[in-house]
Amino acid sequence: MKKFATMVALVFLLPLLTACPKQQTQHELRIYNWSDYMPEEVIQDFEKRENAKIVLDTYDDPEAMISKLQAGGDSEYDVVILSDYLVGQLAQRGTILELDKSKIPNFKNLDPSFADPAYDPGSKHSVVYQWGTTGLAYREDLVKGPVDSWAVLFDPAKSAGSFLLLTEMREQVGAALRYLGASVNTTDPATLERAKQLLIDAKRRSQGFAGGTDAVQQVLSGNVAVAVAYSGDAFRAMEENPKVKYVIPREGGTIWSDVLTILSKSKNSELAYKFINYLLEPEVAAKVSNGIGYGTPVPAALPMIEARDNPIIYPSAEVRKKLEFLGDLGPAADLYNKVWAEVRAQ
């Protein structure tokens, strides 16, 4: 009898069980983000506010992230946080939505300079999350000479010690281009060939490649003396050990913004819009920046940010003149892909 009752119950419950995944989807937000790039407090507060569950996956290599989306991952997530220069590429492919700004009322809180970026005019497909710079992190007690130029990677005579290169293609190729005095967005084949040779030689002398977070951790632990690094990662490492330093080389570097996008195949775009709107609240934006050490695009958050006067996070106007944004290369991206493939194959 008990067995029969259980079977009957299952028959009646089956339609409900089948419906459960759909009901759960309405309260679940799946996010694909850089590693260590969102404070747990911010995630938990949103979950409580919306009675929702955030599922977070992370990556360290933008090329690997793009490959995953192309291989079907675009249906696994709702929100992807990615590098600014990738927006045009994903928009053209239809991977990300054209945003409905009426569902993001806090968009008005963005600094005007971030509201209409060159890589995504009018923020049609993306909203800035954080911004920062790329330079060199180093341990001042381990280096054998000055660290003020990309030459510590590309000129053996000016090496300051063991070093790591960055896994992100555009940033690492860009470093070689700046050392050569060229734009990080050049499409000149001869200049890119020179950059490739510099990178191949640097790779042979290096300790290999690492993602941004891991690279700085290797400097922090003393496994290497120097690494190509993102400003916020270096800033957090400096808080752990004051012997860690960060510099933008005299040749210049990159300034970038990471952006929030909603995937076209999102199963919960309404919750995704709420999440983006939530991150643009000044108090939340301040928590993000205080937690991960990068610049906020929300001016009203600045009075609540502890590092608002720190030049590593907010470089001076003079330093910013030496910085470039990575642009969408369009068809010329193939030139960079070829260079990078040959560098990694050596």
Side-chain angles (χ1 to χ4, degrees):
M1 236 353 241
K2 186 175 180 181
K3 184 176 180 181
F4 176 76
T6 301
M7 291 176 65
V8 172
L10 285 173
V11 169
F12 282 104
L13 281 173
L14 188 58
L16 296 176
L17 292 172
T18 305
C20 280
K22 186 175 182 180
Q23 292 171 353
Q24 290 172 350
T25 300
Q26 293 173 0
H27 298 285
E28 183 177 88
L29 187 70
R30 301 188 68 88
I31 300 174
Y32 201 19
N33 191 11
W34 291 92
S35 297
D36 298 321
Y37 206 38
M38 188 168 291
E40 186 63 28
E41 175 191 8
V42 170
I43 292 174
Q44 291 175 352
D45 287 349
F46 182 78
E47 288 178 325
K48 291 176 184 176
R49 179 187 296 195
E50 297 296 333
N51 188 28
K53 174 65 178 175
I54 287 180
V55 178
L56 177 66
D57 287 344
T58 62
Y59 66 89
D60 280 313
D61 182 350
E63 283 71 44
M65 178 270 291
I66 292 292
S67 295
K68 181 174 182 178
L69 294 183
Q70 290 177 329
D74 59 338
S75 62
E76 294 180 22
Y77 303 103
D78 302 294
V79 174
V80 177
I81 298 174
L82 48 83
S83 300
D84 48 18
Y85 66 89
L86 294 172
V87 173
Q89 179 185 142
L90 293 184
Q92 187 175 24
R93 292 175 181 170
T95 306
I96 54 179
L97 285 179
E98 181 174 337
L99 298 176
D100 181 351
K101 296 297 193 339
S102 70
K103 297 179 180 180
I104 314 174
N106 287 332
F107 185 80
K108 66 181 185 298
N109 294 339
L110 274 183
D111 185 309
S113 65
F114 289 109
D116 188 28
Y119 59 83
D120 185 22
S123 294
K124 191 175 181 180
H125 295 90
S126 66
V127 174
V128 176
Y129 170 61
Q130 294 277 274
W131 65 275
T133 62
T134 305
L136 293 167
Y138 64 96
R139 276 275 296 265
E140 63 178 353
D141 58 327
L142 298 181
V143 295
K144 299 179 292 187
V147 181
D148 60 359
S149 165
W150 292 115
V152 298
L153 308 180
F154 302 121
D155 184 347
K158 296 181 180 179
S159 173
S162 60
F163 63 88
L164 279 168
L165 300 173
L166 201 58
T167 55
E168 188 175 356
M169 173 185 71
R170 289 295 305 279
E171 291 286 3
Q172 191 57 71
V173 175
L177 291 170
R178 288 315 300 255
Y179 177 66
L180 292 172
S183 167
V184 297
N185 300 307
T186 186
T187 56
D188 177 58
T191 303
L192 287 167
E193 177 64 25
R194 292 174 63 198
K196 182 186 78 174
Q197 295 304 323
L198 282 175
L199 289 163
I200 290 172
D201 180 60
K203 177 187 174 183
R204 290 170 179 158
R205 292 181 289 103
S206 76
Q207 299 300 305
F209 294 84
T213 303
D214 183 45
V216 171
Q217 286 301 313
Q218 295 298 318
V219 173
L220 181 63
S221 64
N223 291 334
V224 294
V226 183
V228 183
Y230 303 122
S231 52
D233 291 335
F235 174 75
R236 288 183 307 212
M238 292 168 66
E239 292 184 314
E240 292 188 50
N241 186 346
K243 292 180 181 178
V244 176
K245 304 296 180 185
Y246 176 79
V247 64
I248 294 172
R250 61 173 180 263
E251 299 93 350
T254 56
I255 183 172
W256 45 262
S257 56
D258 285 325
V259 299
L260 297 146
T261 64
I262 300 176
L263 289 169
S264 299
K265 294 182 181 179
S266 166
K267 295 180 176 65
N268 203 342
S269 61
E270 293 306 308
L271 192 58
Y273 275 114
K274 289 182 179 180
F275 185 67
I276 292 175
N277 196 57
Y278 161 77
L279 291 174
L280 293 176
E281 294 178 10
E283 295 80 6
V284 177
K287 286 179 182 179
V288 171
S289 286
N290 285 332
I292 65 175
Y294 286 97
T296 181
V298 180
L302 283 170
M304 296 174 275
I305 292 176
E306 299 155 6
R308 59 185 176 275
D309 297 320
N310 191 306
I312 291 176
I313 309 303
Y314 298 97
S316 68
E318 181 180 358
V319 171
R320 288 185 67 163
K321 288 179 182 177
K322 300 190 296 181
L323 304 175
E324 276 188 287
F325 278 98
L326 294 168
D328 179 1
L329 297 168
D334 289 341
L335 294 172
Y336 282 72
N337 292 333
K338 183 179 179 182
V339 164
W340 195 239
E342 292 182 20
V343 170
R344 298 303 295 262
Q346 293 293 323

